[in-house]
Amino acid sequence: MDRTALADFLRRSRERLRTSDVGLPDGARRRTPGLRREEVATLAGMSVDYYTRLEQQRGPRPSPQLLAALARALRLGDDERDHLFHLSGQQPPAHRAVADHVRPGLLLILDRLWDTPASVISELGDVLVQNPMARALWGDTGTRPAGDRNLVRRWFTEPESRERILAEDRERIGRSHVAHLRSVAAARPEDRRAERLVAELLERSPEFAEYWADHDVAQRRSDVKRIVHPVVGLLELHCEVLVNDGGEQRLLVYTAEPGSDTAERLDLLRVVGLQDLNGAEARLS
């Protein structure tokens, strides 16, 4: 681990970014360029103290999961991401594996979707990054441990993950999760993560085992989801799924019919979400 070079690379990567580059409000005038350490830590889902120690050349070696989160927070390209891993004494992830690294271009699109919920997920259902509206809609997945951000695992092992979906829609969505996972697992027989996820869910969830036995296969496509939000109420949202070139990541965008009740409630959700975000920004100042 090259602590000196790592600290310098983190600092320079942070200083070249603006708040608008990462979907944060501009806030107060800044004395120094770039993002604050607190903002990078928040975007990466890590403690401010830990990140500060890395920039001060005294932190412990980051795990691959933390490095992947830092690469996303700092909008690093593939080569920069690999450099970050090398400076930390870690082996970069194989490029042919199910990718955890979200490319800057995809993050730029996500940040521009300021008025609609959007997130990037991996083929296996790992939530990689959310915009503020998605956090307002579903809750902040980034606050959870890396292993607990998988949509399929949470659906079948955490009953509370279904609470915002209408009861009559839950079986359809559950079967959709299973059909998509079967498709991915068959297409990537060398990917041990898919194999381990299936084995875990077969053991932990009789419902998953029942759906898995039906051998339905389907890629995740566009859908209409009815979501009951605890603040703004029922939302009927069109979910569009955009796939990147390699097919290993998906951009999920939720939109409402113009002029509908859902559109009005989505506008209210945006106000509520921005208030929460501005409150967090004020606490970081």
Side-chain angles (χ1 to χ4, degrees):
M1 179 176 175
D2 189 337
R3 296 180 185 276
T4 301
L6 174 63
D8 183 66
F9 182 64
L10 289 174
R11 178 177 57 81
R12 292 181 182 276
S13 298
R14 171 172 62 83
E15 289 177 349
R16 66 178 169 78
L17 291 173
R18 299 172 298 176
T19 52
S20 58
D21 295 330
V22 297
L24 292 175
D26 288 335
R29 187 181 183 90
R30 294 166 185 256
R31 294 189 298 271
T32 57
L35 298 181
R36 299 186 179 104
R37 289 171 176 171
E38 294 90 341
E39 290 165 334
V40 174
T42 299
L43 290 168
M46 61 195 303
S47 75
V48 177
D49 177 68
Y50 187 91
Y51 179 78
T52 299
R53 283 187 287 155
L54 288 177
E55 280 205 11
Q56 293 176 345
Q57 305 179 33
R58 56 187 182 90
R61 175 185 294 180
S63 67
Q65 292 80 13
L66 274 180
L67 291 171
L70 276 173
R72 290 192 293 270
L74 294 169
R75 304 311 195 241
L76 302 183
D78 289 349
D79 294 337
E80 294 170 315
R81 185 274 313 268
D82 290 353
H83 183 62
L84 176 66
F85 271 75
H86 287 139
L87 292 178
S88 303
Q90 299 280 13
Q91 185 66 27
H95 290 279
R96 292 184 62 83
V98 177
D100 288 335
H101 180 58
V102 183
R103 293 185 177 179
L106 191 54
L107 289 170
L108 183 62
I109 296 173
L110 188 72
D111 293 334
R112 294 299 182 269
L113 297 172
W114 59 273
D115 61 345
T116 189
S119 57
V120 178
I121 67 171
S122 74
E123 258 194 325
L124 290 180
D126 296 311
V127 178
L128 303 178
V129 63
Q130 301 168 289
N131 72 356
M133 282 290 285
R135 294 197 293 270
L137 178 64
W138 297 110
D140 189 354
T141 306
T143 62
R144 304 174 63 91
D148 292 340
R149 300 175 188 174
N150 185 275
L151 295 176
V152 187
R153 178 185 287 112
R154 291 186 61 197
W155 182 267
F156 287 102
T157 63
E158 300 179 14
E160 62 273 16
S161 69
R162 311 179 181 199
E163 290 178 351
R164 298 190 183 187
I165 299 296
L166 286 181
E168 55 265 38
D169 295 343
R170 292 173 186 172
E171 180 177 348
R172 176 179 61 81
I173 291 176
R175 288 185 176 277
S176 175
H177 281 318
V178 175
H180 178 81
L181 180 57
R182 182 178 279 281
S183 175
V184 173
R188 295 181 175 272
E190 78 289 349
D191 189 343
R192 298 300 302 277
R193 289 193 293 181
E195 179 183 333
R196 288 194 297 267
L197 179 59
V198 171
E200 175 192 347
L201 292 176
L202 286 172
E203 180 179 351
R204 297 180 62 184
S205 171
E207 181 187 11
F208 178 89
E210 176 189 345
Y211 297 164
W212 187 262
D214 289 338
H215 211 118
D216 292 331
V217 181
Q219 287 285 323
R220 186 176 285 112
R221 306 294 186 192
S222 301
D223 196 4
V224 176
K225 289 189 176 180
R226 296 185 294 174
I227 302 163
V228 182
H229 191 273
V231 176
V232 301
L234 179 63
L235 299 165
E236 187 169 305
L237 296 170
H238 297 269
C239 178
E240 294 296 329
V241 183
L242 308 177
V243 183
N244 73 341
D245 287 342
E248 71 275 4
Q249 291 178 355
R250 283 153 170 73
L251 174 64
L252 274 57
V253 182
Y254 295 88
T255 60
E257 289 286 348
S260 65
D261 290 342
T262 292
E264 293 181 4
R265 291 170 182 164
L266 203 60
D267 285 340
L268 176 59
L269 181 64
R270 178 170 59 85
V271 173
V272 173
L274 287 177
Q275 285 175 344
D276 291 343
L277 191 59
N278 286 331
E281 173 73 7
R283 290 191 294 272
L284 294 175
S285 301

